[in-house]
Amino acid sequence: VSILFIFGALLDSLGSTSATGVHVPETFSLGSWEMPLWLWFVCLGLGQWMLCTVYNGLTDTAKERMIVRYKLAYVKAILRQDIGWYDTNSPLQLSTRIGEGLKTIEEALSPKAVILFEWLAMAVTGWALCFKYEWRVALIILACSPLVLLGGALMGYAQQNGQKSVVDGYAEAGAIATEVLGAVRTVASLGLETLSKSRYDAALHKAQRAGIKVSLLVGLGMAILFSSPNVMMGAGLIYGTSLLKDARTERQMQHSFLVWTADGFNTTLQLCAKPCDEYNLANADYNTTLALYNHNTLSPATPRSCADFGAKVLTWTCFTADLTVSSGLFDADAWATLSFSSSDSSPLTFLEVPGQPALLDDASFRSYFEQQTGGWTCAVLPAAVLLAIFALQNGAQGLANVGQPVNIIAKGRQAGVAILQTIRRVPAIDSFSTAGATLDSVAGAIEVVDVVFAYPSAPERTVCNGYTLSIGAGQTVAL
């Protein structure tokens, strides 16, 4: 985005022309700093490289430290839980959940996700510059922005609601595989291979269906998200060109000159232009102008105009007025030595047409143009429209790239919920707790009185209701 500032100043300088063509500035000034253009771009590239190296290194370091703390805290939390927690959380699924969950969280903490802030900054600054250069183009493009919101909403919905089903399906399949492999002799002796395979396939198909649904929604969201910059760019170009067209026709003028030669002959002269575009100074048709002058000189009784020779009258607009001044078109010394007639080499002298100045210098041309059109500069500048579209392109690119890191962060957030719930859970019987009284000695006698108990997985079924038992020290009891 910072390159747009230099590029904008460069575009502002491209309007100045000379006899040799377009003048491109070799230096650029920013405040009191002035350097060659190439050096500005080198400094910007080196600065970006250094900053990216620093923030990627810091991000990787922070990610590795956080992942180590996650692993230690999660393993400690699993060992801390009471037997009731294992009744609702299958131990066979723990290994799969730990591996998949921590891998997803690690990606959410990596630079692939942290780059989200870079894309967001690029989008915000791009939109801000678009409003700065040409707010009307920015408003038209802003009307297309709901497409971006729609694509992001679809991706967020798919990740939040579908990712959990995928993880649950794979965890269930992993638990079945661990169970079967742990008792493979029993499975083989009872002939349960087909049944075990069917259970495993059903769990995988569940994860597959959820994954396909998530992929379809994410793909649709990404398609809308990536196509929206092209839609916004097209809308900006169409409306921007219409603004330029209106500005071009808003301030324009034509001018005729009264010329005379040394022999005392005078006639009105129009500057002709090629019919393809009479607003472009490069299309000034001096051959037709010469033919027009020769005809009016030889046949003053039947004067003709540019249209009689298949041309149009050269028309000045707010775009070409400044170029006319900088090109020296109305240089009195240049016109004084110019002769249109091949048979008469007498120099031409421009006189004032009634109601119009002679326009033999830049100051008189500018004053007359402002008088005729109401101003000197255009209400809309091509450079401003172009820079607004370039800024929007940067902003749209940043906005379109937001989807991938958002997708990674959404997956990490979904996986982190389950892990953090386990880490933060404090069981009723906390084996790691140091609170409470510490007995000096234990005799070994056990007594329970009026116990009411139900398994956490089936709380509606009471296993013990008022159960009482007393076991003496050294006594052997069978239950």
Side-chain angles (χ1 to χ4, degrees):
V1 175
S2 57
I3 297 178
L4 284 176
F5 290 103
I6 301 178
F7 190 60
L10 184 61
L11 282 179
D12 292 339
S13 303
L14 289 179
S16 59
T17 60
S18 62
T20 59
V22 179
H23 170 69
V24 180
E26 296 182 357
T27 61
F28 174 74
S29 300
L30 184 62
S32 59
W33 296 352
E34 182 176 357
M35 293 189 298
L37 275 174
W38 66 268
L39 188 56
W40 277 104
F41 286 108
V42 169
C43 292
L44 285 175
L46 289 175
Q48 184 178 8
W49 173 72
M50 292 177 61
L51 292 175
C52 288
T53 301
V54 170
Y55 99 78
N56 274 287
L58 293 177
T59 301
D60 277 331
T61 303
K63 178 200 70 174
E64 294 298 333
R65 291 183 176 181
M66 285 188 282
I67 288 299
V68 169
R69 294 182 63 182
Y70 261 111
K71 291 179 178 179
L72 293 176
Y74 195 41
V75 172
K76 179 179 178 181
I78 291 176
L79 298 176
R80 181 185 190 181
Q81 302 306 316
D82 54 9
I83 194 63
W85 182 83
Y86 288 96
D87 187 57
T88 56
N89 295 272
S90 174
L92 301 177
Q93 298 181 6
L94 288 179
S95 60
T96 303
R97 290 186 181 273
I98 292 175
E100 292 292 333
L102 290 178
K103 180 181 178 182
T104 306
I105 293 176
E106 184 174 359
E107 288 188 356
L109 296 174
S110 67
K112 292 190 296 183
V114 179
I115 201 174
L116 168 67
F117 302 102
E118 182 178 339
W119 296 130
L120 287 177
M122 186 175 177
V124 172
T125 52
W127 279 98
L129 289 176
C130 186
F131 273 96
K132 174 184 178 295
Y133 287 121
E134 184 49 61
W135 62 271
R136 287 169 291 187
V137 174
L139 287 178
I140 291 297
I141 297 172
L142 189 61
C144 304
S145 59
L147 289 174
V148 180
L149 300 178
L150 177 60
L154 281 176
M155 294 179 62
Y157 173 81
Q159 294 302 329
Q160 290 182 3
N161 295 275
Q163 190 62 30
K164 185 177 183 301
S165 300
V166 175
V167 173
D168 290 343
Y170 282 120
E172 182 179 351
I176 294 173
T178 304
E179 178 185 358
V180 172
L181 293 175
V184 63
R185 293 182 179 180
T186 305
V187 171
S189 62
L190 297 177
L192 299 177
E193 294 92 339
T194 304
L195 178 61
S196 300
K197 179 179 179 298
S198 300
R199 291 173 57 206
Y200 184 75
D201 289 342
L204 287 181
H205 288 159
K206 178 181 177 181
Q208 183 184 29
R209 288 192 298 269
I212 292 174
K213 182 179 179 181
V214 170
S215 299
L216 288 175
L217 290 177
V218 171
L220 179 60
M222 291 184 68
I224 296 175
L225 199 62
F226 282 115
S227 63
S228 57
N230 296 326
V231 175
M232 293 188 289
M233 185 70 63
L237 285 173
I238 293 173
Y239 186 68
T241 51
S242 67
L243 288 177
L244 293 175
K245 180 183 178 182
D246 294 341
R248 180 179 185 175
T249 57
E250 178 182 358
R251 293 178 178 173
Q252 58 177 309
M253 76 167 193
Q254 297 175 347
H255 188 75
S256 300
F257 303 94
L258 187 64
V259 297
W260 66 280
T261 61
D263 58 4
F265 179 80
N266 65 75
T267 184
T268 301
L269 176 65
Q270 291 179 329
L271 294 181
C272 300
K274 297 176 183 178
C276 57
D277 188 1
E278 70 273 23
Y279 300 102
N280 191 344
L281 290 180
N283 286 333
D285 192 347
Y286 293 103
N287 292 327
T288 304
T289 305
L290 172 61
L292 175 64
Y293 174 77
N294 288 333
H295 173 84
N296 291 347
T297 301
L298 299 175
S299 305
T302 57
R304 291 188 176 184
S305 64
C306 295
D308 296 325
F309 290 87
K312 294 182 179 180
V313 180
L314 184 65
T315 303
W316 283 275
T317 68
C318 54
F319 293 153
T320 57
D322 186 55
L323 295 177
T324 302
V325 170
S326 60
S327 65
L329 181 62
F330 293 107
D331 187 345
D333 295 334
W335 285 104
T337 59
L338 181 64
S339 173
F340 280 94
S341 175
S342 59
S343 60
D344 184 2
S345 59
S346 302
L348 302 177
T349 303
F350 282 68
L351 299 179
E352 181 178 353
V353 177
Q356 298 183 5
L359 306 187
L360 290 180
D361 56 74
D362 294 342
S364 60
F365 175 78
R366 177 165 183 164
S367 176
Y368 181 66
F369 186 87
E370 291 178 346
Q371 177 185 353
Q372 295 295 313
T373 63
W376 176 251
T377 59
C378 295
V380 181
L381 297 177
V385 174
L386 187 60
L387 286 172
I389 294 176
F390 283 162
L392 165 73
Q393 188 175 18
N394 280 274
Q397 181 182 359
L399 207 58
N401 289 326
V402 163
Q404 184 176 3
V406 166
N407 184 15
I408 295 174
I409 292 175
K411 289 181 178 180
R413 183 176 178 272
Q414 189 70 32
V417 169
I419 292 179
L420 288 176
Q421 285 179 347
T422 303
I423 292 175
R424 294 169 181 172
R425 183 180 184 274
V426 179
I429 303 175
D430 189 0
S431 58
F432 289 173
S433 176
T434 58
T438 302
L439 302 178
D440 296 330
S441 61
V442 178
I446 300 175
E447 184 177 7
V448 294
V449 179
D450 293 334
V451 174
V452 178
F453 173 75
Y455 288 102
S457 58
E460 70 282 357
R461 297 182 180 180
T462 303
V463 179
C464 299
N465 188 8
Y467 181 75
T468 301
L469 177 65
S470 179
I471 303 175
Q475 184 179 0
T476 301
V477 178
L479 299 177

